[in-house]
Amino acid sequence: MPEESKSDIVRKIGERIRRMRKEKHLSQEQLAELSGLHTNYVGQVERGEKNVTLETLEKVVLGLGISLEELFRYVGPMEEKDALSEIVGLLVDRSVEDQRMALRLLKTVIEWEQKK
């Protein structure tokens, strides 16, 4: 893997950890405590300065109360854009409340379509 790609994925994972931490209304200190990591280390990971091990990622996801799958979801680019990936792209950076609202709207449209 080229060095540029490696740092890009490290940065994306760090951004994803930060986004998930903020969605859960946790400070870096709180996540560090829940994960058994040092606060400075959590900050370095979130800024993409540290290339974390799988063991560290496991600690982070346990601290966040999520799965590894959820952490890595939508991190890498998809080769081919389809309707589902476009929907995901629109929602991935939105708040949890916005995502839930979009889900309710989508369910309403599908239910309406099924009743026709």
Side-chain angles (χ1 to χ4, degrees):
M1 179 181 290
E3 189 61 35
E4 182 178 89
S5 297
K6 196 183 297 185
S7 64
D8 189 43
I9 191 69
V10 170
R11 182 186 52 76
K12 286 180 179 181
I13 292 295
E15 289 171 358
R16 181 89 171 131
I17 290 169
R18 175 178 282 137
R19 188 176 323 117
M20 303 290 290
R21 175 180 60 77
K22 287 184 175 186
E23 284 177 6
K24 297 193 176 284
H25 307 288
L26 295 172
S27 67
Q28 285 183 343
E29 292 80 12
Q30 290 169 318
L31 177 58
E33 185 175 321
L34 291 169
S35 303
L37 301 169
H38 193 279
T39 303
N40 293 343
Y41 186 77
V42 171
Q44 291 171 325
V45 168
E46 288 186 354
R47 291 188 298 274
E49 296 170 0
K50 289 287 184 185
N51 189 0
V52 297
T53 64
L54 290 174
E55 289 88 0
T56 301
L57 283 177
E58 182 179 38
K59 290 178 182 182
V60 170
V61 298
L62 288 172
L64 288 169
I66 61 172
S67 66
L68 278 170
E69 187 274 329
E70 190 173 354
L71 176 66
F72 284 105
R73 191 181 302 155
Y74 317 123
V75 170
M78 294 181 66
E79 295 298 320
E80 185 178 318
K81 290 284 186 181
D82 59 5
L84 183 58
S85 65
E86 286 190 49
I87 292 168
V88 169
L90 290 171
L91 295 174
V92 71
D93 289 326
R94 304 296 302 192
S95 69
V96 172
E97 293 81 20
D98 286 354
Q99 292 172 5
R100 287 186 180 132
M101 180 182 60
L103 177 60
R104 285 193 304 272
L105 180 60
L106 183 58
K107 284 180 176 180
T108 300
V109 169
I110 290 171
E111 288 170 5
W112 173 79
E113 178 66 26
Q114 289 173 340
K115 290 179 183 177
K116 289 192 340 182

mmCIF file of all heavy atoms in Angstrom, residues 5 7 17 31 36 38 43 51 68 90 97 104 112 115:
data_model
loop_
_atom_site.group_PDB
_atom_site.id
_atom_site.type_symbol
_atom_site.label_atom_id
_atom_site.label_comp_id
_atom_site.label_asym_id
_atom_site.label_seq_id
_atom_site.Cartn_x
_atom_site.Cartn_y
_atom_site.Cartn_z
ATOM 1 N N SER A 5 -1.747 6.419 0.791
ATOM 2 C CA SER A 5 -2.981 5.690 1.060
ATOM 3 C C SER A 5 -3.050 5.252 2.508
ATOM 4 O O SER A 5 -4.097 5.282 3.128
ATOM 5 C CB SER A 5 -3.078 4.461 0.158
ATOM 6 O OG SER A 5 -3.134 4.847 -1.178
ATOM 7 N N SER A 7 -1.698 6.679 5.175
ATOM 8 C CA SER A 7 -2.011 7.798 6.052
ATOM 9 C C SER A 7 -3.451 8.268 5.850
ATOM 10 O O SER A 7 -4.083 8.735 6.785
ATOM 11 C CB SER A 7 -1.035 8.952 5.835
ATOM 12 O OG SER A 7 -1.156 9.464 4.528
ATOM 13 N N ILE A 17 -13.755 7.737 14.382
ATOM 14 C CA ILE A 17 -13.772 7.578 15.837
ATOM 15 C C ILE A 17 -14.242 8.871 16.494
ATOM 16 O O ILE A 17 -15.094 8.856 17.389
ATOM 17 C CB ILE A 17 -12.380 7.151 16.367
ATOM 18 C CG1 ILE A 17 -12.086 5.700 15.940
ATOM 19 C CG2 ILE A 17 -12.296 7.306 17.884
ATOM 20 C CD1 ILE A 17 -10.658 5.256 16.180
ATOM 21 N N LEU A 31 -13.779 8.785 26.668
ATOM 22 C CA LEU A 31 -13.498 7.652 25.789
ATOM 23 C C LEU A 31 -12.212 6.960 26.202
ATOM 24 O O LEU A 31 -12.138 5.728 26.217
ATOM 25 C CB LEU A 31 -13.423 8.088 24.323
ATOM 26 C CG LEU A 31 -13.069 6.972 23.334
ATOM 27 C CD1 LEU A 31 -14.065 5.819 23.417
ATOM 28 C CD2 LEU A 31 -12.982 7.527 21.917
ATOM 29 N N GLY A 36 -9.565 2.299 28.261
ATOM 30 C CA GLY A 36 -8.313 1.923 28.913
ATOM 31 C C GLY A 36 -7.094 2.470 28.193
ATOM 32 O O GLY A 36 -6.040 1.845 28.172
ATOM 33 N N HIS A 38 -4.738 6.226 27.115
ATOM 34 C CA HIS A 38 -4.377 7.559 27.596
ATOM 35 C C HIS A 38 -5.110 8.604 26.750
ATOM 36 O O HIS A 38 -5.279 8.431 25.537
ATOM 37 C CB HIS A 38 -2.860 7.760 27.506
ATOM 38 C CG HIS A 38 -2.388 8.952 28.261
ATOM 39 N ND1 HIS A 38 -2.469 10.227 27.755
ATOM 40 C CD2 HIS A 38 -1.848 9.061 29.501
ATOM 41 C CE1 HIS A 38 -1.992 11.074 28.643
ATOM 42 N NE2 HIS A 38 -1.608 10.385 29.709
ATOM 43 N N GLY A 43 -6.498 11.430 21.372
ATOM 44 C CA GLY A 43 -6.406 12.622 20.523
ATOM 45 C C GLY A 43 -5.539 12.390 19.300
ATOM 46 O O GLY A 43 -5.886 12.813 18.189
ATOM 47 N N ASN A 51 -1.056 5.213 13.975
ATOM 48 C CA ASN A 51 -1.575 4.062 13.256
ATOM 49 C C ASN A 51 -1.891 2.998 14.303
ATOM 50 O O ASN A 51 -0.997 2.366 14.844
ATOM 51 C CB ASN A 51 -0.538 3.563 12.252
ATOM 52 C CG ASN A 51 -1.088 2.523 11.323
ATOM 53 O OD1 ASN A 51 -2.245 2.146 11.398
ATOM 54 N ND2 ASN A 51 -0.240 2.045 10.431
ATOM 55 N N LEU A 68 -16.814 -3.434 15.541
ATOM 56 C CA LEU A 68 -15.780 -3.096 14.555
ATOM 57 C C LEU A 68 -16.412 -2.826 13.202
ATOM 58 O O LEU A 68 -15.998 -1.920 12.480
ATOM 59 C CB LEU A 68 -14.748 -4.217 14.428
ATOM 60 C CG LEU A 68 -13.651 -4.249 15.475
ATOM 61 C CD1 LEU A 68 -12.854 -5.546 15.370
ATOM 62 C CD2 LEU A 68 -12.721 -3.048 15.334
ATOM 63 N N LEU A 90 -25.041 10.641 1.545
ATOM 64 C CA LEU A 90 -25.801 11.803 2.004
ATOM 65 C C LEU A 90 -25.989 11.814 3.517
ATOM 66 O O LEU A 90 -26.073 12.871 4.137
ATOM 67 C CB LEU A 90 -27.182 11.835 1.329
ATOM 68 C CG LEU A 90 -27.208 12.151 -0.153
ATOM 69 C CD1 LEU A 90 -28.610 11.919 -0.713
ATOM 70 C CD2 LEU A 90 -26.765 13.583 -0.403
ATOM 71 N N GLU A 97 -29.884 12.008 14.767
ATOM 72 C CA GLU A 97 -31.279 12.437 14.672
ATOM 73 C C GLU A 97 -31.693 12.605 13.217
ATOM 74 O O GLU A 97 -32.790 12.175 12.817
ATOM 75 C CB GLU A 97 -31.497 13.754 15.442
ATOM 76 C CG GLU A 97 -31.337 13.628 16.935
ATOM 77 C CD GLU A 97 -29.872 13.655 17.392
ATOM 78 O OE1 GLU A 97 -28.993 14.145 16.637
ATOM 79 O OE2 GLU A 97 -29.605 13.171 18.494
ATOM 80 N N ARG A 104 -37.188 7.164 8.951
ATOM 81 C CA ARG A 104 -38.650 7.216 9.103
ATOM 82 C C ARG A 104 -39.306 7.625 7.785
ATOM 83 O O ARG A 104 -40.307 7.046 7.376
ATOM 84 C CB ARG A 104 -39.046 8.193 10.212
ATOM 85 C CG ARG A 104 -38.800 7.672 11.614
ATOM 86 C CD ARG A 104 -39.479 8.530 12.675
ATOM 87 N NE ARG A 104 -39.096 9.923 12.611
ATOM 88 C CZ ARG A 104 -38.033 10.460 13.231
ATOM 89 N NH1 ARG A 104 -37.252 9.701 13.980
ATOM 90 N NH2 ARG A 104 -37.768 11.745 13.120
ATOM 91 N N TRP A 112 -46.127 3.378 1.803
ATOM 92 C CA TRP A 112 -47.073 3.993 0.877
ATOM 93 C C TRP A 112 -47.045 3.261 -0.459
ATOM 94 O O TRP A 112 -48.094 2.947 -1.034
ATOM 95 C CB TRP A 112 -46.724 5.475 0.699
ATOM 96 C CG TRP A 112 -47.541 6.153 -0.358
ATOM 97 C CD1 TRP A 112 -48.813 6.604 -0.252
ATOM 98 C CD2 TRP A 112 -47.118 6.416 -1.685
ATOM 99 N NE1 TRP A 112 -49.206 7.150 -1.437
ATOM 100 C CE2 TRP A 112 -48.190 7.051 -2.354
ATOM 101 C CE3 TRP A 112 -45.933 6.197 -2.395
ATOM 102 C CZ2 TRP A 112 -48.114 7.452 -3.677
ATOM 103 C CZ3 TRP A 112 -45.858 6.608 -3.721
ATOM 104 C CH2 TRP A 112 -46.955 7.229 -4.340
ATOM 105 N N LYS A 115 -48.826 -0.116 -0.402
ATOM 106 C CA LYS A 115 -50.290 -0.023 -0.308
ATOM 107 C C LYS A 115 -50.942 0.299 -1.642
ATOM 108 O O LYS A 115 -52.140 0.122 -1.782
ATOM 109 C CB LYS A 115 -50.688 1.029 0.721
ATOM 110 C CG LYS A 115 -50.370 0.617 2.147
ATOM 111 C CD LYS A 115 -50.754 1.707 3.116
ATOM 112 C CE LYS A 115 -50.361 1.320 4.526
ATOM 113 N NZ LYS A 115 -50.658 2.391 5.486
#
